[in-house]
Amino acid sequence: MTTEQNIPQVDENQIIAERRSKLKAIREQGVAFPNDFERKNMAADLHAAFGEKSHDELEAEQVPVSVAGRMMLKRVMGKASFATIQDVSGRIQLFISNDITGEDAHAVFKHFDLGDILGATGVLFKTKTGELSVRVTEVRLLTKALRPLPEKFHGLTDQEQKYRQRYIDLITNEQTRKTFMIRSKIVQAIREFFARHDYLEVETPMLHPIPGGASAKPFVTHHNALDMEMYLRIAPELYLKRLVVGGFEKVFEINRNFRNEGLSTRHNPEFTMIEFYEAYRDYKYLMDFTERLFSEVARRVLGTTVISYQGKELDLGKPFHRLTMVQAIQKYHPQFTDEQLSNRDFLINELQDLKAKYKPEDGVGGLQLSLFEELSEHLLFEPTFIVDYPVEVSPLARASDKNPGITERFELFIVGREIANGFSELNDSEDQEARFDAQVAAKEAGDEEAMFKDADYIRALEHGLPPTAGEGIGIDRLVMLLTDAASIRDVILFPHMRPE
RNA sequence: GGGUCGGUAGCUCAGCCGGUAGAGCAGCGGACUUUUAAUCCGUUGGUCCCGAGUUCGAAUCUCGGCCGACCCA
């Protein structure tokens, strides 16, 4: 394998050629990529500190500044020019005129291009229209941009290019920058929430000898020295519960999972999850805990729990709805009776009528789940916990003491999307072993997503896992919710694309 | 996997009942000392996604392919 195939074709054009010749001239005059410019001020800080001052106040103070950033706009007017530069905090306008820099320096500036990285020193002032600006005494080219920016007003509209060349999207699109800043704040708020609840943050393997903790197809890779197949993890669950066996009673991990499945507006092959486990708790505690987490994160990141998603409003500060799977089906289809929904033949008939996907070998529980996914899941706009998941689709969850066919498990749906999955953990090693064996039988019968048996995990459980509750939350989907993003690709910096 | 829409200058887009490609921005040259998507004058720039077919002639019509967006599975 060479890396050459990953390098896009060189696409030279007149604009790039022009800029290359400018760079060549700069090289001939000295250091073309200087790194000795001392930037002392950020655009946003200057606006915050001096934006309210009047023209006369600023003239009296003569505030010296040193700013740097990418030139986004340029307006040349003969003997004076304006330029707008952008740093990570925002934008500020430069004013360059023959009177101050001299005619030669101004002439050099006139040949700087949009997209170039500039450093400028000068004094703050206010223009006629009241815009805080820098009256430039010296402006330097710090990095020549050889490629032109997208059209300055419309920016980049082609989704493909926005994803493939995210750097351009970030340069030109304020909303994109904002989305990823919010993403960072969300993760930070989650970390702080768990730290405050005395959780230990851990890192467990990404390379697994046996993929486990979820029902999904793994990516396969090869370890040369050990000459063995390895799998990129589909979930960290079994490792985190080993840590609870070891006595870390509250643990969490925020990291990537990999699932070898299709791409969609809701699925990227690698995605970020937080999984957390707490000993001596159950799934009901987790639901309350999750409500607190979501409302707190929203409040800290957005300042409110009332959010708007794709034009509809919802409140993460209110208690979330809680429905059993059967209730969730009946909510939108009240014509179905409890008796019908616990009748295998009836369920299969309905699923066939709906042309829905289901596994014919499933029992009542699995068929109910298929019907729920077909009829109700996408309609659960307001936050809703669905409880009473059947044992057969929950091989790692503790069965209910009252009803052995169902587990102490929930999934959380918001805006019609699964966003979290939690349960009281199965800590009976013999039951767990029997469940693994059932999964292996299903895998041998052709279910590619069925789980492998992890003998060491059984051994760990045999040492005793305290009663424990655990949950996973999809960070990307949470970010979508809080940034009003329609596609998971809008919240992942470099989403997966077909190779160019 | 199926359906719909799209791929034309560096970018944003027009042109599509067939007649050999246009605008705005960006670039280049010129005018302009408070502009802010600056303005005004001039000007350079094209594998019309790829391949085949129909035709005297294809960006335009037909078929196949590639890539993408959205919807469905």
Side-chain angles (χ1 to χ4, degrees):
Chain A
M1 285 280 281
T2 68
T3 54
E4 281 171 32
Q5 57 200 186
N6 296 328
I7 299 168
Q9 279 185 318
V10 177
D11 50 334
E12 291 287 345
N13 62 47
Q14 190 186 22
I15 292 174
I16 294 174
E18 179 71 32
R19 291 186 179 209
R20 276 195 201 284
S21 74
K22 286 182 184 176
L23 176 59
K24 185 162 176 259
I26 296 162
R27 284 189 201 282
E28 283 161 3
Q29 282 160 23
V31 179
F33 292 86
N35 66 349
D36 60 341
F37 181 80
E38 194 178 348
R39 187 260 297 273
K40 292 176 183 156
N41 307 97
M42 305 297 294
D45 294 344
L46 294 176
H47 286 293
F50 301 101
E52 299 303 313
K53 301 226 173 190
S54 70
H55 176 272
D56 292 346
E57 285 170 319
L58 287 169
E59 292 304 322
E61 286 188 44
Q62 291 289 302
V63 182
V65 297
S66 167
V67 295
R70 190 181 297 275
M71 181 160 66
M72 303 302 291
L73 295 167
K74 180 177 135 185
R75 295 173 289 278
V76 175
M77 297 171 304
K79 297 186 179 63
S81 297
F82 287 93
T84 302
I85 62 167
Q86 173 173 291
D87 65 28
V88 70
S89 74
R91 292 179 171 198
I92 192 153
Q93 180 169 264
L94 308 180
F95 176 72
I96 299 107
S97 79
N98 286 1
D99 292 348
I100 302 160
T101 63
E103 196 172 337
D104 291 349
H106 186 207
V108 169
F109 165 81
K110 287 178 187 175
H111 288 95
F112 292 169
D113 291 299
L114 294 186
D116 287 352
I117 311 282
L118 308 182
T121 52
V123 174
L124 286 179
F125 79 110
K126 276 218 166 155
T127 64
K128 265 187 199 166
T129 53
E131 179 166 350
L132 186 70
S133 306
V134 179
R135 188 185 287 120
V136 169
T137 49
E138 188 191 16
V139 58
R140 292 174 64 193
L141 177 64
L142 303 182
T143 304
K144 183 74 198 163
L146 293 176
R147 288 174 179 271
L149 288 176
E151 203 258 0
K152 62 190 173 190
F153 187 60
H154 297 91
L156 205 55
T157 61
D158 182 354
Q159 284 297 331
E160 181 184 356
Q161 276 199 68
K162 283 165 69 98
Y163 297 144
R164 286 194 196 277
Q165 301 184 60
R166 183 67 90 181
Y167 37 90
I168 299 176
D169 189 27
L170 287 168
I171 289 168
T172 56
N173 196 334
E174 166 82 38
Q175 185 56 49
T176 303
R177 289 195 293 276
K178 201 172 153 201
T179 294
F180 290 103
M181 286 178 183
I182 291 176
R183 181 174 177 128
S184 173
K185 282 187 183 157
I186 289 169
V187 173
Q188 198 179 331
I190 292 171
R191 278 211 164 86
E192 283 168 11
F193 183 88
F194 280 92
R196 195 153 16 85
H197 287 84
D198 299 318
Y199 272 74
L200 186 70
E201 181 168 9
V202 297
E203 290 174 85
T204 65
M206 311 290 284
L207 284 174
H208 288 188
I210 302 167
S215 298
K217 288 183 216 161
F219 284 92
V220 186
T221 185
H222 187 80
H223 190 293
N224 288 345
L226 296 176
D227 189 25
M228 65 181 285
E229 299 291 282
M230 308 247 347
Y231 302 87
L232 299 187
R233 77 175 188 195
I234 55 176
E237 173 156 354
L238 302 185
Y239 285 95
L240 291 170
K241 284 191 280 195
R242 283 174 170 99
L243 296 177
V244 183
V245 169
F248 286 147
E249 294 170 355
K250 297 181 179 182
V251 292
F252 78 100
E253 176 167 7
I254 297 175
N255 222 323
R256 225 71 63 80
N257 291 341
F258 303 85
R259 296 186 185 174
N260 205 341
E261 292 158 7
L263 287 75
S264 80
T265 48
R266 291 174 294 278
H267 299 89
N268 196 60
E270 55 182 295
F271 61 98
T272 305
M273 288 259 288
I274 174 168
E275 280 204 16
F276 58 97
Y277 292 83
E278 180 164 343
Y280 312 107
R281 299 290 191 188
D282 68 3
Y283 76 120
K284 288 185 174 159
Y285 172 85
L286 282 185
M287 288 192 274
D288 297 340
F289 187 76
T290 303
E291 287 178 356
R292 295 209 303 275
L293 172 66
F294 275 52
S295 65
E296 178 171 320
V297 169
R299 208 174 289 116
R300 293 191 61 160
V301 172
L302 305 174
T304 172
T305 59
V306 179
I307 63 168
S308 168
Y309 189 79
Q310 306 291 296
K312 284 169 77 180
E313 214 171 73
L314 66 91
D315 189 351
L316 294 170
K318 291 195 296 198
F320 297 176
H321 302 288
R322 299 184 187 196
L323 299 172
T324 66
M325 193 167 290
V326 167
Q327 288 170 338
I329 295 170
Q330 289 171 332
K331 177 172 182 179
Y332 299 101
H333 298 272
Q335 73 274 21
F336 295 140
T337 65
D338 289 359
E339 288 71 33
Q340 287 173 321
L341 291 177
S342 52
N343 179 300
R344 204 165 172 282
D345 294 336
F346 178 85
L347 291 167
I348 288 179
N349 260 322
E350 285 300 319
L351 287 163
Q352 284 176 342
D353 286 353
L354 292 162
K355 296 192 173 73
K357 209 169 54 173
Y358 70 98
K359 294 176 186 163
E361 68 276 15
D362 270 359
V364 167
L367 297 170
Q368 281 177 351
L369 176 60
S370 297
L371 193 64
F372 162 74
E373 287 173 347
E374 181 69 21
L375 293 177
S376 298
E377 178 177 319
H378 62 284
L379 299 172
L380 295 170
F381 187 84
E382 296 206 345
T384 306
F385 290 112
I386 302 298
V387 298
D388 287 4
Y389 274 70
V391 168
E392 59 193 284
V393 297
S394 313
L396 302 170
R398 184 184 193 278
S400 159
D401 293 330
K402 295 185 196 119
N403 180 350
I406 62 169
T407 54
E408 294 190 354
R409 175 182 170 195
F410 63 85
E411 286 195 359
L412 172 61
F413 295 87
I414 307 180
V415 300
R417 251 173 235 155
E418 179 198 342
I419 196 157
N421 174 26
F423 39 86
S424 305
E425 300 300 333
L426 174 56
N427 62 343
D428 175 339
S429 63
E430 293 176 353
D431 188 353
Q432 183 67 75
E433 184 156 25
R435 305 256 201 117
F436 273 151
D437 289 341
Q439 288 289 307
V440 170
K443 184 169 277 300
E444 281 164 2
D447 183 352
E448 285 187 87
E449 294 189 350
M451 291 183 186
F452 290 85
K453 181 171 183 173
D454 186 331
D456 176 71
Y457 178 65
I458 299 292
R459 182 166 63 182
L461 288 187
E462 286 169 353
H463 281 282
L465 173 69
T468 297
E471 179 174 345
I473 299 171
I475 298 292
D476 308 286
R477 290 182 182 179
L478 177 59
V479 176
M480 286 171 72
L481 184 67
L482 297 181
T483 59
D484 196 16
S487 170
I488 197 168
R489 291 179 161 188
D490 294 326
V491 301
I492 292 175
L493 282 166
F494 299 100
H496 280 274
M497 306 284 285
R498 281 175 206 274
E500 281 184 80

